[in-house]
Amino acid sequence: MSGIVVVGGGPAGAAAVGALRAGGYDGKVTLVSAEQQLPYERPELSKEYLLDPLRQSAAPIYEADWYRERNIDTVLGERITDIGLPDRTLVAESGVRLSYDQLILAPGARARRTPGLAGERVHYVREFTDAHRLREALAGAQHPIVLGGGFIGSEVAGVLAVLGKRVTVVERRHSLMERVLGPTMGGVLTDVHRANGADVRTGRVIVATETTRDSVVVRTDRETVEGDLLIVGGGAEPNVGLADAAGIAVRGGILVDGRARTSAPGVFAAGDAVSIRHGLYGRHLRAEHRDWAFEMGRIAGANAAGGHDEFTEVPWYWSDQYEHSIQMAGEIDPAGPTVLRGSMDDLSFTLFAVEDGRVRGAISMNRPRDILAVRKLVFAEHRVTDDELSDLHFDLRRVLRAPAAI
Ligand SMILES: Cc1cc2nc3c(=O)[nH]c(=O)nc-3n(C[C@H](O)[C@H](O)[C@H](O)COP(=O)(O)OP(=O)(O)OC[C@H]3O[C@@H](n4cnc5c(N)ncnc54)[C@H](O)[C@@H]3O)c2cc1C
């Protein structure tokens, strides 16, 4: 018996090996990761880790003992280059080979690189080593420039402002995180950054970027910004190469059914790299959220162990910037019609997407309880009126206690 191998050391991989054991699988279990660390929490890399000079490692999802107690082998620092489907043998860059009976692919995503943008003064933030290198470089930096005001760019810019750096953010859209937050909430967030000292330049087209030994220069359609460090927040790309090369179906992500099964028998996939058929939405979705990846990994592991679990996770994401907590749950078009609860002026509000009296999603600033309720309401058939949603005295949990409307 060769056992089950999980390729990928993120939350999806960690959850998968745990679920294999929890599901009663007692054969050989191996987790392989290209990184040197056991699976760790990536979200803090653009937040707490950059703020704390004493930290020397990322927070592990599980400690080493956890793997030992479950008899899970971990193979770190090995990048798989071929999944060898015909003879069920993985091949690593180093030449190491690992055979398997079943395989779980959880290779995550990588930071999208801007062609030509590399060198000592250029930073991307995806892995622990990226965050560590950035934190070291920040010690001597006066004027970092952040290219792109999406999730990672906005979070890093907030940290830089807190650290007292003269930070400039250059963003193509008209507000920060506009793709997910929409123009209104994105505008609120942009104001928060400016009030904290970040120089946010929105609506800019980047014409050229140059890096020299001593500086970085960003030319936009309106100005030239000169700094000493460049952080590129250009989004992420799913790692689908291994699956694609093996002839496994890929469409925007590794394609899996609701039980995390790929088009190849005995091969499962989970996490950022995957487009999964959602059991409740009834269509394929790909997301880059920590808990989404973890739950999908759990489903893949449970099913590889012989289970029949279906993926029904509600999309949920958080982002911490300054003292503010931004959260999103379900599906929402923030540029479409929404119902407001709370006050944007007070930076304490939630925008709800409502369809036929049913809450389908929400984005929120500093109202985590609303999001907690929305995570339960999204697939419930309970109805709620716009007046109830916007009434701060109305307890959203009451909706769930009422009988569901059909
Ligand atoms: C800086 C940052 C901040 C974030 N903040 C948040 C947040 O606030 N909230 C939130 O919900 N989500 C956040 N996310 C997203 C979240 O971390 C991801 O959705 C999650 O880590 C995805 O898990 P995964 O297991 O699919 O992949 P990953 O975590 O990307 O792990 C994939 C692993 O597989 C390894 N690997 C890849 N290819 C190979 C190969 N060929 N051979 C061997 N190993 C391989 C990689 O090295 C990596 O260790 C953040 C992400 C980043 C980068």
Side-chain angles (χ1 to χ4, degrees):
M1 283 286 278
S2 304
I4 301 180
V5 179
V6 176
V7 176
V17 292
L20 282 169
R21 289 297 186 228
Y25 180 75
D26 61 4
K28 189 170 161 57
V29 173
T30 311
L31 179 139
V32 190
S33 177
E35 293 184 78
Q36 295 290 352
Q37 295 89 355
L38 288 171
Y40 57 87
E41 298 293 357
R42 226 166 274 277
E44 62 170 21
L45 299 182
S46 49
K47 310 176 185 74
E48 299 91 327
Y49 189 80
L50 296 177
L51 281 168
D52 183 354
L54 299 177
R55 293 275 306 280
Q56 292 302 320
S57 59
I61 293 175
Y62 299 120
E63 300 289 346
D65 281 352
W66 184 90
Y67 297 91
R68 266 195 294 275
E69 285 159 10
R70 286 161 184 76
N71 197 18
I72 294 163
D73 288 346
T74 53
V75 178
L76 303 177
E78 290 287 355
R79 180 171 295 282
I80 301 301
T81 52
D82 184 353
I83 63 170
L85 258 192
D87 49 1
R88 307 235 145 197
T89 303
L90 298 168
V91 183
E93 215 164 49
S94 65
V96 162
R97 301 168 85 85
L98 274 170
S99 55
Y100 60 88
D101 299 313
Q102 293 188 84
L103 179 66
I104 300 178
L105 292 171
R110 60 186 182 279
R112 184 174 291 116
R113 306 268 152 173
T114 306
L117 263 189
E120 210 173 304
R121 292 185 178 274
V122 179
H123 292 260
Y124 294 85
V125 188
R126 178 74 203 179
E127 304 199 338
F128 168 70
T129 47
D130 298 331
H132 191 71
R133 178 175 164 262
L134 172 59
R135 200 183 69 190
E136 301 277 290
L138 282 174
Q142 308 296 325
H143 184 187
I145 302 173
V146 178
L147 277 193
F151 267 112
I152 307 289
S154 299
E155 289 182 351
V156 171
V159 167
L160 299 179
V162 169
L163 289 171
K165 306 290 177 189
R166 198 181 130 215
V167 54
T168 302
V169 186
V170 182
E171 164 57 35
R172 187 168 51 90
R173 295 180 192 253
H174 293 285
S175 61
L176 296 177
M177 291 177 62
E178 190 173 294
R179 191 175 57 83
V180 272
L181 300 183
T184 310
M185 186 162 168
V188 172
L189 182 67
T190 306
D191 289 345
V192 166
H193 274 264
R194 288 182 176 143
N196 279 278
D199 174 9
V200 185
R201 312 220 181 156
T202 53
R204 301 303 206 265
V205 177
I206 293 167
V207 178
T209 44
E210 292 151 32
T211 63
T212 68
R213 215 167 59 90
D214 307 312
S215 71
V216 295
V217 178
V218 176
R219 294 186 211 289
T220 77
D221 54 341
R222 289 202 236 163
E223 74 265 280
T224 296
V225 187
E226 192 172 342
D228 48 16
L229 210 67
L230 196 65
I231 298 111
V232 187
E237 289 175 324
N239 289 325
V240 297
L242 283 178
D244 204 20
I248 291 174
V250 168
R251 206 166 57 216
I254 303 169
L255 216 57
V256 300
D257 67 7
R259 295 186 185 170
R261 296 176 293 200
T262 70
S263 59
V267 181
F268 296 76
D272 278 11
V274 166
S275 179
I276 190 163
R277 187 172 165 83
H278 195 281
L280 295 170
Y281 285 120
R283 57 190 155 81
H284 279 86
L285 293 173
R286 192 181 80 78
E288 293 166 8
H289 305 164
R290 192 267 181 211
D291 285 23
W292 178 270
F294 189 89
E295 171 61 8
M296 208 187 300
R298 192 194 66 72
I299 296 274
N303 291 338
H308 299 91
D309 290 13
E310 194 82 15
F311 185 74
T312 56
E313 178 82 351
V314 175
W316 172 61
Y317 192 102
W318 75 93
S319 174
D320 299 326
Q321 298 178 36
Y322 309 98
E323 67 275 36
H324 305 297
S325 161
I326 295 156
Q327 294 199 32
M328 179 219 81
E331 288 194 319
I332 175 167
D333 170 8
T338 52
V339 180
L340 171 68
R341 179 180 179 91
S343 154
M344 290 199 185
D345 288 342
D346 295 342
L347 302 179
S348 172
F349 64 94
T350 301
L351 294 171
F352 297 91
V354 186
E355 203 181 275
D356 297 332
R358 295 170 175 100
V359 174
R360 295 306 185 210
I363 43 179
S364 146
M365 188 179 253
N366 298 322
R367 292 193 60 83
R369 280 188 184 190
D370 288 353
I371 294 294
L372 209 60
V374 170
R375 289 170 69 188
K376 295 186 179 134
L377 278 171
V378 163
F379 294 121
E381 286 308 312
H382 298 75
R383 284 179 191 271
V384 57
T385 67
D386 288 3
D387 286 344
E388 285 169 338
L389 284 176
S390 55
D391 177 2
L392 284 176
H393 299 293
F394 181 80
D395 183 352
L396 291 176
R397 289 171 304 180
R398 258 178 54 195
V399 182
L400 284 160
R401 288 199 288 266
I406 304 298

